Amino acid sequence: MKEHNITIYTTTNPAILKFETNHFITKNNSYEYKNIDEAKNSPLAQQLFYLPFIKTVYISGNFIALERFDIVAWDDVRDEVAQQLVDYLNSGEVVVHEQEDPQSVPATVYAENTPNPAAMRFVANKLIVPTIFEFKNKEEAKDSDLATTLFQFPYVKEVFLDENYVSVTKTEAADWNEITLELRESIQAFLTEGKEVVSANSISKQKQEAPATQLQDENLDDTSKQIIDILEEYVKPAVASDGGNIMFKSYDESTKKVNVILQGACSGCPSSTFTLKNGIENMLKNMMGDKIGEVVALNG
């Protein structure tokens, strides 16, 4: 039996704490429970609701996130909750009663164009990874069986994974009309078989090397944190819908220049410069005034 360890992460919501384990605990879906009655298919969630301060339980992939009522502070109870989760997971008890046969929950995947003509977004009907992964080549993809499978196609240049979609960047010679169906069927077959998209150890390692959110970086100044807040709330959702991601890199107070990193379909996209200048830069200037001079993109 696999031994579970718990790592605790704060979130941008002070009422929610994330307890991440080093192994996957769900196979097919994400789950949210508001009370013990809703948690009939999750013995773990039912047990957690016996704690009087638990308001909401989220279970997905390799983590449990808990929202508390204001009657306690997380600092007073977090270690006890973490130990309770470790004991439960290591007991081998069921976390969520899921359908065991992956064929009974077939994956569906549809293809979506992105603003980048070299990238296509393949959207699944379920969560496939709990965090972002970007692979520039086959060597980088050694911990992702799905990305490794896709790199076997000679026209696949880059693979980007985020929550419920795969963004594929093709070589210049390939035509989407000729390869889209083949890629979609390959991704759908992989997910339907219930295979592990990215190894749990790789996910844990990535979370340990970087904070769960950039706002947790204690070295950031207040202006940088304000920029990240705006990017997270107003920019990231739109960028994700186009098959990419944007990350704050740095802010120079003397030049007022903001550096960001573009990933996935946004990396190398011909329209990204226009979007950056006429969208993101203008938004930051309108919301933050003369603190912002210009926004510069670095491709991930």
Side-chain angles (χ1 to χ4, degrees), residues 152-167:
Q152 291 176 1
F153 295 108
Y155 48 75
V156 171
K157 185 178 179 181
E158 297 177 14
V159 177
F160 180 83
L161 309 174
D162 186 11
E163 294 190 346
N164 69 326
Y165 72 85
V166 183
S167 182

Side-chain angles (χ1 to χ4, degrees), residues 100-159:
E100 292 297 328
D101 181 7
Q103 297 294 340
S104 64
V105 188
T108 59
V109 176
Y110 67 88
E112 229 177 34
N113 291 323
T114 75
N116 185 349
M120 185 75 73
R121 186 172 181 256
F122 296 87
V123 184
N125 63 331
K126 61 182 181 180
L127 183 78
I128 60 175
V129 288
T131 189
I132 289 171
F133 287 90
E134 184 175 37
F135 306 104
K136 296 289 190 179
N137 51 59
K138 189 174 182 178
E139 288 68 34
E140 291 183 3
K142 62 182 184 299
D143 290 328
S144 171
D145 288 343
L146 175 56
T148 298
T149 298
L150 293 175
F151 275 117
Q152 291 176 1
F153 295 108
Y155 48 75
V156 171
K157 185 178 179 181
E158 297 177 14
V159 177

Side-chain angles (χ1 to χ4, degrees), residues 215 226-238 246 283 287:
L215 290 173
Q226 188 178 355
I227 294 169
I228 293 171
D229 264 335
I230 294 171
L231 293 179
E232 291 283 340
E233 184 172 356
Y234 298 102
V235 181
K236 272 198 173 186
I246 184 169
M283 179 186 295
M287 299 179 77

Side-chain angles (χ1 to χ4, degrees), residues 209-246:
E209 291 177 349
T213 169
Q214 289 181 294
L215 290 173
Q216 293 177 15
D217 188 342
E218 297 178 354
N219 298 318
L220 291 175
D221 57 83
D222 290 340
T223 301
S224 295
K225 290 182 178 181
Q226 188 178 355
I227 294 169
I228 293 171
D229 264 335
I230 294 171
L231 293 179
E232 291 283 340
E233 184 172 356
Y234 298 102
V235 181
K236 272 198 173 186
V239 171
S241 68
D242 287 336
N245 183 49
I246 184 169

